[in-house]
Amino acid sequence: MALKVGVPNLFIKGWMEEKFAQAVQEAAQKACGWKGEVLFSVASDLFQDMRAEEAVARSEPSPAAAETPATRVEPQEANPRMCLDDFVVAQCNQLAYAAAMEVCFQFEPAFNRLFIHGGVGLGKTHMLQGMWQKLRDQTCDGQAIYTTAEKWTNHYIYALTSNRLEGFRQKYRTVKYLLIDDVHFLKNKQGIQEEFLHTFDALDSSNKRIILASDSHPHDLEHVTKNLITRFLSGMVAKLDAPDEATRERILRTKMRRTRYRLPDDVLAYMAEYADVNIRELEGLVTKIVALASLNRAPITVDLARECMADLSHTRSAVVTIKDIEHEVSEATGVTRSEMHSKRRTRLVSRARHICMYLSRQLTHKSCRDIGSHFGGMKHSSVLSACKSMQERLEEDADLARMVSRLKDKLGG
Ligand code: ADP
Ligand code: MG
């Protein structure tokens, strides 16, 4: 094992090895008691930081930078499948959507900066691409830029290393609408963040409109400078939540409009009900179902969909359904499914309902909101507290614990 010390480039690596190996060795021992080998290794992040810091300080690339081969910067392409017409607006995204519309299309918007955050596959890119495409249709070319933070970074490095910094800054600091996706890419890249901050400030000071998207809230972006986080928080911040079942179904239907396939309603409903929340996976699933059906010259049925879904990596839990759970709980408790869905609150019925909710949380990918809406529009907080109190009762009541454990085994959990 060796202690690795990051350095920005080969030149500095050689220099450190030659002149400072002994000093670093001693410092490592002093700081953390390390007595083993010390190695210097080139870290690309440090290289980028160094370039960016030099450029910010002098506004021109260093001679060493000019030696770096320039990377070609591909222009961002519009994805026609991600137009605004195909974006389903629902409770999970309506705040972010309304805020983005405000920033892009209001004459005098209430705010001109928006930070959208949410997990993978929840529609951040679709929303930004959609806004951008609509802006491009409505405004003169070049007034709106959509790009990813990664492409923006590549463009910056390219500009730095090919003496085109002026043009780069002119482009990004004067555009009317700047939409940057996957901002979390800037993590750990201090020099790049510095340039980004200047871009942000230049746009903001002239009231230009900025929309950023990231996989996490600004506060949760680690290794991003405080200055930048403050800027991200200074505008509107909106979250994308996971779509509920009804929204997933609407999204699937919208997607199907663009294909030549027709999936029967019950298959669509089944997929929306039992698939994971990630819509990207749902799309893959459609392709698979259609391919299998045409290979086997078989009709597209719920059974086929179930078979395809059982092959997914998270299979087992994805195919245990709330209905399966209700069926087993009903067998075990004698409370019928319709009683569970009724307003009855007798001890037996409530207990059966709570067992169902508890097992649904444990054995399916359903969110509390999904489970709540399955049980006639119960609030997600009520589902959460039902599950909590069930957990507590299981610790106190051995008979109940045995029954729930048997149910779990039966359902394959
Ligand atoms: P993210 O960028 O948040 O990871 P994407 O925007 O790439 O997610 O969305 C993943 C897939 O889900 C895409 O095919 C996208 O079209 C689809 N999608 C997500 N949300 C919606 C929505 N509200 N309406 C229509 N399609 C959606
Ligand atoms: Mg994305």
Side-chain angles (χ1 to χ4, degrees):
M1 210 166 66
L3 178 72
K4 262 193 185 171
V5 178
V7 289
N9 59 28
L10 276 174
F11 176 73
I12 294 182
K13 181 173 184 274
W15 180 263
M16 293 294 286
E17 282 166 352
E18 206 175 299
K19 307 264 182 203
F20 298 107
Q22 180 73 23
V24 173
Q25 181 87 51
E26 283 168 15
Q29 189 168 353
K30 230 179 176 178
C32 55
W34 180 261
K35 289 188 187 147
E37 201 183 352
V38 175
L39 290 178
F40 296 98
S41 98
V42 177
S44 57
D45 280 1
L46 291 177
F47 171 75
Q48 288 168 2
D49 287 355
M50 190 176 80
R51 286 284 85 92
E53 274 155 23
E54 284 170 3
V56 170
R58 292 192 269 139
S59 277
E60 62 179 30
S62 67
E67 285 160 20
T68 315
T71 341
R72 229 174 88 74
V73 181
E74 299 290 338
Q76 184 65 52
E77 304 227 337
N79 180 346
R81 288 186 302 119
M82 290 194 170
C83 61
L84 227 42
D85 285 344
D86 284 0
F87 189 80
V88 172
V89 183
Q91 200 188 350
C92 57
N93 57 29
Q94 67 190 7
L95 175 67
Y97 180 83
M101 291 295 279
E102 174 86 17
V103 172
C104 291
F105 304 109
Q106 265 310 329
F107 183 58
E108 285 183 346
F111 41 87
N112 64 340
R113 286 148 290 146
L114 169 65
F115 189 99
I116 297 170
H117 64 103
V120 177
L122 298 187
K124 300 180 295 295
T125 298
H126 192 147
M127 193 184 281
L128 258 61
Q129 273 261 352
M131 296 286 160
W132 175 52
Q133 292 177 36
K134 188 165 172 168
L135 277 169
R136 285 201 325 177
D137 293 344
Q138 292 190 358
T139 59
C140 305
D141 221 12
Q143 295 263 49
I145 296 178
Y146 163 85
T147 189
T148 62
E150 183 175 6
K151 279 207 158 143
W152 182 88
T153 302
N154 290 343
H155 195 174
Y156 173 53
I157 292 170
Y158 171 74
L160 260 180
T161 53
S162 58
N163 267 321
R164 291 182 169 89
L165 209 51
E166 196 73 19
F168 171 86
R169 289 184 173 151
Q170 173 70 19
K171 177 178 164 114
Y172 290 105
R173 294 186 185 187
T174 57
V175 70
K176 203 165 168 198
Y177 304 88
L178 182 63
L179 295 87
I180 304 224
D181 205 353
D182 296 333
V183 168
H184 46 267
F185 178 83
L186 299 175
K187 279 182 201 171
N188 275 323
K189 301 181 182 66
Q190 289 230 344
I192 309 287
Q193 288 176 29
E194 186 77 20
E195 178 67 22
F196 195 77
L197 184 83
H198 290 301
T199 304
F200 191 99
D201 284 349
L203 290 173
D204 193 35
S205 64
S206 49
N207 261 325
K208 302 292 199 303
R209 317 207 184 173
I210 310 166
I211 303 189
L212 307 174
S214 156
D215 65 359
S216 42
H217 187 278
H219 278 311
D220 300 327
L221 282 173
E222 284 170 4
H223 309 294
V224 171
T225 62
K226 243 194 184 148
N227 276 341
L228 208 48
I229 289 180
T230 318
R231 302 303 194 283
F232 293 164
L233 291 168
S234 66
M236 173 78 175
V237 177
K239 182 172 181 233
L240 290 183
D241 285 314
D244 61 11
E245 193 181 314
T247 310
R248 289 201 293 275
E249 190 173 335
R250 275 175 63 204
I251 293 175
L252 263 178
R253 282 185 192 285
T254 313
K255 295 255 167 238
M256 300 308 298
R257 281 202 321 234
R258 298 271 170 201
T259 71
R260 57 195 164 82
Y261 314 125
R262 291 291 161 261
L263 259 56
D265 281 355
D266 56 347
V267 174
L268 280 176
Y270 178 83
M271 290 174 63
E273 187 176 3
Y274 300 128
D276 203 356
V277 289
N278 189 332
I279 297 150
R280 217 170 277 155
E281 280 185 25
L282 273 184
E283 283 189 277
L285 213 56
V286 171
T287 318
K288 193 172 165 188
I289 291 171
V290 171
L292 258 180
S294 78
L295 269 175
N296 300 338
R297 294 181 196 283
I300 298 175
T301 59
V302 170
D303 281 345
L304 182 69
R306 189 179 288 128
E307 222 174 276
C308 289
M309 285 161 85
D311 277 351
L312 289 176
S313 53
H314 50 261
T315 47
R316 213 160 37 84
S317 35
V319 287
V320 176
T321 67
I322 303 185
K323 278 187 194 139
D324 295 336
I325 293 171
E326 282 174 344
H327 177 75
E328 293 301 334
V329 172
S330 168
E331 294 261 292
T333 59
V335 176
T336 64
R337 278 192 62 217
S338 60
E339 280 174 319
M340 289 184 211
H341 284 264
S342 71
K343 299 244 180 276
R344 287 185 62 191
R345 283 176 181 270
T346 61
R347 207 174 63 83
L348 261 183
V349 173
S350 293
R351 196 184 64 154
R353 202 180 285 134
H354 287 179
I355 297 174
C356 283
M357 289 176 186
Y358 174 79
L359 288 175
S360 302
R361 278 297 281 163
Q362 297 242 316
L363 304 179
T364 74
H365 286 284
K366 299 288 173 189
S367 63
C368 284
R369 194 187 303 157
D370 283 345
I371 297 169
S373 66
H374 182 90
F375 284 97
M378 265 176 83
K379 277 201 215 143
H380 107 280
S381 53
S382 314
V383 175
L384 206 60
S385 70
C387 293
K388 260 194 194 153
S389 76
M390 180 51 64
Q391 180 70 51
E392 283 162 14
R393 266 195 278 164
L394 286 175
E395 280 158 24
E396 293 158 4
D397 185 340
D399 286 343
L400 183 65
R402 253 193 305 278
M403 175 164 92
V404 169
S405 154
R406 261 202 306 273
L407 281 167
K408 263 190 184 174
D409 286 346
K410 218 164 171 192
L411 288 157

